[in-house]
C-alpha cells in the first residue's frame, strides 16, 4: 500500500531501523571514552571487545540457526530489543562509572570486581545488539524478497536515527557536564533506553516478522554446500578483513579524537563530546544515507567483490588521513567517506549472503556473514587495534592500518581478477 510514494508496508521496518540505531548511537561510539575515563587502558578495552566479538562468532550464526530451525524469529527479535532497553542504563549504575583517578595498571584492572561488573554489562548489552542486528537484516531481506536496491533504502533510516541521536547525545552531554572535570553520560543512557522502548512498541504492534519458508531440517547440510564453493570462502575472507578495518572506526575512533584533543588541542576538550557526536552524524547523514539509497545500483554495476575492492581502497585513504590530522575538527570532512567504507562492504555482504542462501537457511547464512565480519574480523581487529594504540599511539596506529589496508586492497584486486578469469576452475 502506498500514498504519495510512501510504501506503508515498509514503514514499520524503516521505523525499527530508525529507533534501534537511535538507541545505540548514544552508547556504542562513546564506549571507548567511557572505558578510558574509568582508568582502563586501550589494551583492556581491546580485551573486552575481543572477548565480545569472539562471542559474536557463536551468537549470530546460532541466532540464525535457532530462529530458522524453530521459527521463533519474532519472539527472539522482540526479546532482544526490550532486554537491551533494560540492560543498557545499568551501565550507569556500575560504581565508578563516571570518575577516574588516571589510568590504572592492567593487572589491577583485571583483578577488580568492579571491572568485571562493568565488562559483563557491556558484553551482555552487545550480545543483545548482535541478536537484534542479525535478525533485522534477515527480516528486512525476507520482506524485500532479497532486493538489495530496496534494502539500502530501508537501512538508511538507521543511519538517519543514528545521525540525529549522536549529535543530540553529544551536545546534551557537553551541556550536562559544563564545568565538570569528568564526563557524566547519564543523558546518553536515558536517550538510549527511551529509544529502545519506542522501538519495542513499534515493532511489537506494527512490524510483521516473516518466519522461514519451506523445510528447515537440512540447514546445516545446506550451509555446508554453500561453504564448499571457493568464491563463498573467499567472500568470507574479505568480510573478515572488512571487520578488522571497521573496528578501528567503531570502537577506537572516539579514543583517537580524545587523544588529539588531549595531546594537540586541549582547548577542544570542553566541546569534545559535541565534536564526537557531530562526527557520527556526518558519518550517518552525509556518508551513509545517500550511499545506502544508491548502494544497490552501485553493487549491481560493480559486483560484490569489486565493491569490497573499492571499500578497502577508501578505508586505506581514510585511515591515512586520520594519521596526519592533529586538530579534532579536521576529522569531520573525512567522515564523509563512511558510506564508501563501512556502508559499501556491509551492504555488499548482506546482499551477497541473501543471494547465495538456500531456501530456509537465510538467517543462518546471514549469521555466517556476521560471524566473519563482526566476529572473526572484528575480534582480530580489536586485538590489533588495542595493541597498536598501546604501542604506537592512536595516530601511528591509524597510519599502520592505513598502509595495511592499501596492501590488502591490491591483493584483493589480484585475487578477484584471478577468480573472474578462472570461473570454471573454481566453481
Amino acid at each position: 500500500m502506498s500514498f504519495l510514494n510512501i510504501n506503508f508496508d515498509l514503514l514499520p521496518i524503516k521505523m525499527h531501523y530508525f529507533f534501534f540505531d537511535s538507541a545505540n548511537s548514544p552508547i556504542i561510539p562513546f564506549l571507548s571514552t567511557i572505558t578510558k575515563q574509568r582508568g582502563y587502558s586501550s589494551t583492556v578495552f581491546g580485551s573486552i571487545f575481543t572477548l565480545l566479538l569472539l562471542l559474536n562468532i557463536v551468537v549470530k550464526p546460532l541466532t540464525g540457526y535457532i530462529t530458522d530451525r524453530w521459527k521463533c524469529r519474532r519472539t527472539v527479535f522482540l526479546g532482544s530489543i526490550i532486554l537491551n532497553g533494560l540492560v543498557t542504563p545499568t551501565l550507569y549504575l556500575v560504581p565508578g562509572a563516571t570518575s577516574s583517578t588516571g589510568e590504572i595498571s592492567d593487572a589491577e584492572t583485571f583483578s577488580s570486581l568492579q571491572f568485571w561488573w562493568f565488562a559483563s554489562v557491556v558484553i551482555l548489552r552487545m550480545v543483545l545488539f548482535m541478536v537484534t542486528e542479525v535478525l533485522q537484516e534477515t527480516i528486512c531481506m525476507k520482506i524485500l524478497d532479497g532486493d538489495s536496491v530496496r534494502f539500502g533504502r530501508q537501512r538508511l533510516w538507521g543511519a538517519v536515527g543514528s545521525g540525529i541521536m549522536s549529535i543530540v547525545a553529544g551536545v546534551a552531554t557537553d551541556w550536562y557536564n559544563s564545568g565538570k572535570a569528568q564526563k557524566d553520560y547519564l543523558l546518553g543512557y536515558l536517550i538510549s533506553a527511551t529509544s529502545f522502548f519506542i522501538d519495542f512498541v513499534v515493532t511489537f504492534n506494527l512490524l510483521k516478522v516473516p518466519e522461514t519458508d519451506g523445510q528447515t531440517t537440512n540447514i546445516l547440510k545446506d550451509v555446508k554446500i554453500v561453504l564448499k564453493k571457493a568464491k563463498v570462502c573467499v567472500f568470507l575472507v574479505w568480510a573478515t578483513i572488512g571487520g578488522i578495518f571497521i573496528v578501528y572506526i567503531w570502537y577506537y575512533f572516539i579514543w583517537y579524537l580524545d587523544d588529539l584533543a588531549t595531546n594537540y588541542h586541549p582547548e577542544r576538550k570542553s566541546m569534545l563530546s559535541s565534536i564526537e557526536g557531530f562526527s557520527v552524524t556526518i558519518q550517518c547523514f552525509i556518508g551513509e544515507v545517500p550511499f545506502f539509497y544508491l548502494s544497490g545500483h552501485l553493487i549491481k554495476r560493480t559486483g560484490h567483490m569489486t565493491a569490497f575492492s573499492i571499500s578497502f581502497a577508501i578505508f586505506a585513504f581514510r585511515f591515512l588521513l586520520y594519521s596526519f590530522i592533529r586538530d579534532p575538527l579536521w576529522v569531520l570532512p573525512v567522515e564523509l567517506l563512511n558510506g564508501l567504507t563501512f556502508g559499501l562492504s556491509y551492504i555488499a555482504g548482506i546482499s551477497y549472503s541473501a543471494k547465495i542462501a538456500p531456501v530456509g537457511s537465510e538467517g543462518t547464512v546471514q549469521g555466517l556473514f556476521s560471524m566473519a565480519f563482526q566476529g572473526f574480523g572484528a575480534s582480530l581487529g580489536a586485538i590489533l587495534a588495542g595493541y597498536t594504540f598501546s604501542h604506537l599511539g592512536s595516530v601511528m596506529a591509524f597510519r599502520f592500518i592505513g598502509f595495511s589496508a592499501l596492501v590488502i586492497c591490491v591483493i584483493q584486486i589480484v585475487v578477484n581478477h584471478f577468480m573472474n578469469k578462472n570461473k570454471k576452475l573454481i566453481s
Side-chain angles (χ1 to χ4, degrees):
M1 181 174 65
S2 62
F3 176 71
L4 296 178
N5 293 323
I6 299 174
N7 188 330
F8 288 98
D9 292 334
L10 297 178
L11 190 58
I13 191 67
K14 289 181 172 72
M15 294 174 69
H16 160 70
Y17 276 125
F18 179 89
F19 287 113
F20 181 69
D21 282 14
S22 293
N24 284 288
S25 60
I27 303 299
I28 292 179
F30 298 98
L31 278 175
S32 61
T33 53
I34 292 171
T35 304
K36 186 178 184 180
Q37 186 169 285
R38 296 175 63 87
Y40 304 145
S41 70
S42 59
T43 301
V44 170
F45 180 70
S47 299
I48 294 174
F49 277 87
T50 299
L51 174 60
L52 172 65
L53 296 166
L54 285 171
L55 286 174
N56 202 332
I57 296 171
V58 177
V59 170
K60 287 195 170 181
L62 186 61
T63 299
Y65 175 78
I66 289 173
T67 54
D68 281 345
R69 180 68 179 83
W70 284 282
K71 301 182 186 295
C72 54
R73 194 174 286 156
R74 173 180 166 83
T75 301
V76 175
F77 187 57
L78 289 170
S80 64
I81 294 171
I82 191 65
L83 285 174
N84 217 333
L86 295 171
V87 168
T88 295
T90 64
L91 266 177
Y92 186 77
L93 303 178
V94 178
T98 58
S99 64
S100 171
T101 57
E103 187 171 305
I104 60 178
S105 70
D106 293 350
E108 185 180 354
T109 296
F110 288 123
S111 63
S112 166
L113 180 61
Q114 183 175 304
F115 163 74
W116 288 109
W117 182 359
F118 172 76
S120 297
V121 176
V122 169
I123 290 171
L124 177 57
R125 81 157 309 276
M126 291 301 291
V127 166
L128 292 168
F129 169 81
M130 296 173 202
V131 172
T132 308
E133 189 176 45
V134 70
L135 290 179
Q136 72 182 9
E137 315 301 23
T138 304
I139 290 166
C140 188
M141 291 301 282
K142 286 287 288 181
I143 291 172
L144 301 174
D145 293 324
D147 189 335
S148 61
V149 174
R150 291 198 296 162
F151 173 75
R153 294 175 183 176
Q154 315 315 309
R155 192 65 183 82
L156 68 83
W157 288 99
V160 172
S162 183
I164 291 173
M165 287 306 171
S166 293
I167 189 62
V168 168
V171 171
T173 298
D174 279 340
W175 168 78
Y176 186 68
N177 290 279
S178 179
K180 296 181 181 179
Q182 296 288 338
K183 296 287 186 182
D184 186 324
Y185 290 92
L186 174 62
L187 294 184
Y189 292 121
L190 294 177
I191 292 170
S192 177
T194 301
S195 298
F196 272 125
F197 289 128
I198 294 174
D199 183 27
F200 175 79
V201 172
V202 167
T203 304
F204 182 84
N205 289 288
L206 300 178
L207 182 63
K208 295 180 180 179
V209 177
E211 296 293 349
T212 301
D213 296 326
Q215 297 297 317
T216 60
T217 54
N218 292 318
I219 290 175
L220 295 180
K221 180 181 178 182
D222 289 342
V223 170
K224 287 179 181 178
I225 293 173
V226 170
L227 291 177
K228 285 181 179 179
K229 299 178 181 179
K231 62 181 181 180
V232 174
C233 294
V234 171
F235 156 69
L236 292 175
V237 170
W238 305 140
T240 299
I241 292 171
I244 293 173
F245 294 156
I246 201 60
V247 161
Y248 275 79
I249 306 296
W250 282 352
Y251 302 129
Y252 283 88
F253 173 70
I254 301 298
W255 191 300
Y256 154 78
L257 288 182
D258 191 68
D259 281 351
L260 290 185
T262 300
N263 297 329
Y264 301 104
H265 286 273
E267 73 276 9
R268 306 289 190 210
K269 293 288 284 186
S270 63
M271 57 186 295
L272 189 58
S273 291
S274 297
I275 294 174
E276 292 165 349
F278 193 42
S279 69
V280 177
T281 298
I282 293 175
Q283 288 176 11
C284 298
F285 263 125
I286 309 178
E288 290 181 14
V289 169
F291 176 79
F292 280 153
Y293 187 81
L294 299 171
S295 60
H297 296 292
L298 177 61
I299 291 171
K300 280 188 175 181
R301 284 181 173 273
T302 64
H304 295 89
M305 297 304 105
T306 302
F308 275 105
S309 301
I310 297 170
S311 174
F312 292 169
I314 304 301
F315 263 125
F317 180 58
R318 184 178 182 180
F319 291 150
L320 290 173
L321 285 177
Y322 287 152
S323 74
F324 290 102
I325 290 173
R326 296 296 180 267
D327 187 335
L329 284 175
W330 281 101
V331 305
L332 298 179
V334 181
E335 302 318 288
L336 295 171
L337 299 174
N338 199 54
L340 287 170
T341 49
F342 161 66
L344 184 56
S345 57
Y346 188 71
I347 296 293
I350 292 293
S351 62
Y352 189 71
S353 298
K355 178 181 177 181
I356 64 174
V359 174
S361 302
E362 297 88 353
T364 306
V365 176
Q366 289 291 350
L368 285 175
F369 165 67
S370 293
M371 178 184 71
F373 190 77
Q374 295 170 298
F376 285 119
S379 297
L380 293 172
I383 295 171
L384 183 62
Y387 181 85
T388 53
F389 266 61
S390 291
H391 292 80
L392 301 178
S394 56
V395 170
M396 294 307 296
F398 272 114
R399 189 165 302 177
F400 166 80
I401 196 64
F403 281 118
S404 300
L406 190 60
V407 171
I408 290 172
C409 177
V410 173
I411 294 172
Q412 199 270 348
I413 291 171
V414 171
V415 171
N416 192 28
H417 179 74
F418 172 80
M419 294 186 69
N420 286 334
K421 289 289 186 180
N422 298 273
K423 289 182 179 180
K424 292 183 179 180
L425 180 65
I426 61 176
S427 61

